[in-house]
Amino acid sequence: GNSVTQMEGPVTLSEEAFLTINCTYTATGYPSLFWYVQYPGEGLQLLLKATKADDKGSNKGFEATYRKETTSFHLEKGSVQVSDSAVYFCALGGDSSYKLIFGSGTRLLVRP
Amino acid sequence: DTEVTQTPKHLVMGMTNKKSLKCEQHMGHRAMYWYKQKAKKPPELMFVYSYEKLSINESVPSRFSPECPNSSLLNLHLHALQPEDSALYLCASRPGQGIDTEAFFGQGTRLTVV
């Protein structure tokens, strides 16, 4: 079945450092891929998405490229801020059901 | 309006109580979801409603009973819960079955069972 694998956290960075959070997926067909962010005590917010191979999603300085050849959708940001501290979830949606399948989440802590 | 609104934000209930969680969206979305999220874990899918009909039940115990009275509302009725059911319950909606559509999440109801 479809699945998503994310790198283990927590990831701890200093402000202005470069961020990469790895995400790989297993799926049949041509799924859409999403990154969601969850701040403490809140629900999930969509950060970005990509719906086909080689698409790049971007938002708020974050980017991720849908790589079908490596089945990956890694999240990157060139310069993180303290306010980016949150849990990031990679998600896959794309079979005939309505399911949205989440990775295990990666906690990011950015220190001043 | 791109919001999914959940009430209440916090709920404490005893194991013999009956309570309900409510979720509302006015985006015309035709798919609505209940997820359960334990601390430091990803959301776990519980139920999916599609066009007001239950389309997915992920083998959820019968003490959780979903209801979709109309296309904008989704309820989760709770009865005889256990302490291990304490979690953040998230509602989400999605326009439809299109695979490129994202889900919109509410802020969640933090449930504590005592």
Side-chain angles (χ1 to χ4, degrees):
Chain A
N2 295 351
S3 66
V4 176
T5 302
Q6 281 183 244
M7 62 187 288
E8 290 281 332
V11 173
T12 303
L13 296 173
S14 297
E15 206 165 23
E16 299 184 2
F18 184 85
L19 168 71
T20 301
I21 300 178
N22 290 340
C23 171
T24 57
Y25 68 90
T26 301
T28 54
Y30 303 94
S32 291
L33 298 169
F34 308 89
W35 276 102
Y36 282 85
V37 58
Q38 186 173 32
Y39 298 100
E42 297 188 9
L44 277 70
Q45 302 174 27
L46 178 72
L47 184 58
L48 52 85
K49 71 176 184 181
T51 59
K52 60 183 187 295
D54 300 325
D55 264 3
K56 178 187 280 189
S58 60
N59 185 26
K60 300 180 182 180
F62 291 89
E63 293 182 342
T65 301
Y66 187 156
R67 302 278 188 207
K68 193 164 175 60
E69 63 277 11
T70 54
T71 61
S72 65
F73 192 54
H74 304 322
L75 183 68
E76 297 182 337
K77 187 176 186 185
S79 176
V80 293
Q81 305 300 311
V82 172
S83 57
D84 294 327
S85 298
V87 180
Y88 293 81
F89 292 98
C90 185
L92 177 155
D95 61 14
S96 58
S97 77
Y98 291 88
K99 288 188 179 184
L100 196 60
I101 297 169
F102 286 91
S104 56
T106 302
R107 184 173 301 275
L108 171 65
L109 177 60
V110 181
R111 300 192 188 280
Chain B
D1 182 2
T2 58
E3 279 194 356
V4 175
T5 303
Q6 289 188 243
T7 54
K9 287 190 171 19
H10 300 276
L11 178 63
V12 179
M13 61 185 290
M15 289 189 283
T16 58
N17 291 160
K18 286 186 180 180
K19 297 285 184 185
S20 297
L21 310 185
K22 297 186 184 303
C23 174
E24 191 167 4
Q25 57 88 13
H26 295 288
M27 295 177 278
H29 290 177
R30 306 317 300 264
M32 294 187 76
Y33 304 72
W34 280 116
Y35 284 88
K36 173 183 177 180
Q37 187 180 26
K38 301 284 273 186
K40 300 187 178 181
K41 296 290 187 183
E44 297 174 42
L45 182 64
M46 300 175 72
F47 303 104
V48 181
Y49 272 83
S50 165
Y51 293 84
E52 301 162 48
K53 288 186 168 40
L54 183 65
S55 62
I56 296 175
N57 176 344
E58 292 284 83
S59 303
V60 178
S62 60
R63 57 186 185 268
F64 295 91
S65 174
E67 178 196 21
C68 190
N70 60 55
S71 60
S72 299
L73 294 175
L74 185 66
N75 298 321
L76 185 63
H77 302 299
L78 314 173
H79 174 54
L81 295 194
Q82 303 297 310
E84 60 265 29
D85 296 321
S86 298
L88 181 68
Y89 288 84
L90 294 165
C91 174
S93 70
R94 210 169 169 191
Q97 199 171 352
I99 64 169
D100 60 345
T101 60
E102 66 267 28
F104 292 76
F105 283 82
Q107 294 293 294
T109 295
R110 176 77 57 190
L111 174 68
T112 304
V113 182
V114 296

